[in-house]
Amino acid sequence: MSSALRKTLVAVLFAAIFIGSVRGDFEQWCVADPQTPDDDLLAALDWACGQGGANCSMIQVNQPCYLPNSPKDHASFAFNSYYQKFKHQGGSCNFRSAAMVTDLDPSHGSCRYDYFP
Ligand SMILES: *[C@@H]1O[C@H](CO)[C@@H](O)[C@H](O)[C@H]1NC(C)=O
């Protein structure tokens, strides 16, 4: 490959990465896998909000993410809080397969899901 061609390819690659990050294509959130039974979600939710160190204040009664009050929604918020906080320190979006990564922002109304680059 010629050096000019190689430089062009590298430039195109960097441009694509740059445009992709500006467009937000690389943003990812961690949410409950809808296939997971509620019991498993609730157990994972307890762990995430306790030992896991997720910030679960927004899913408490009268807080913006309390509604909908379902295992799936509360677990999603807690999983994402944990994931955003710890993803750069080895924290993964797994929770014994109760969780999955999505590139759709799960925020709704005044309930905002964190995204940290
Ligand atoms: C938890 O989240 C709330 C709402 O975003 C924030 O006000 C609070 O400071 C956070 N608590 C901790 C311990 O990070």
Side-chain angles (χ1 to χ4, degrees):
M1 203 185 293
S2 80
S3 131
L5 179 56
R6 200 156 47 221
K7 278 182 188 147
T8 306
L9 289 178
V10 168
V12 167
L13 179 68
F14 275 96
I17 291 172
F18 177 74
I19 293 164
S21 38
V22 168
R23 281 166 39 107
D25 288 354
F26 295 104
E27 294 184 10
Q28 290 192 315
W29 292 263
C30 181
V31 294
D33 183 333
Q35 314 276 355
T36 309
D38 284 357
D39 284 354
D40 294 349
L41 288 178
L42 291 172
L45 172 63
D46 273 354
W47 184 88
C49 295
Q51 237 184 312
N55 182 343
C56 294
S57 61
M58 300 292 263
I59 55 175
Q60 305 308 312
V61 185
N62 291 331
Q63 296 305 306
C65 301
Y66 178 67
L67 295 174
N69 178 13
S70 74
K72 184 170 89 60
D73 288 274
H74 283 191
S76 291
F77 189 88
F79 292 173
N80 187 63
S81 168
Y82 170 87
Y83 181 58
Q84 299 301 334
K85 245 169 132 173
F86 301 114
K87 64 186 174 184
H88 299 307
Q89 297 149 52
S92 64
C93 178
N94 186 284
F95 297 92
R96 295 188 177 173
S97 307
M100 60 182 223
V101 162
T102 176
D103 51 15
L104 297 176
D105 185 349
S107 300
H108 49 91
S110 55
C111 173
R112 311 314 301 172
Y113 277 57
D114 280 339
Y115 169 77
F116 302 143

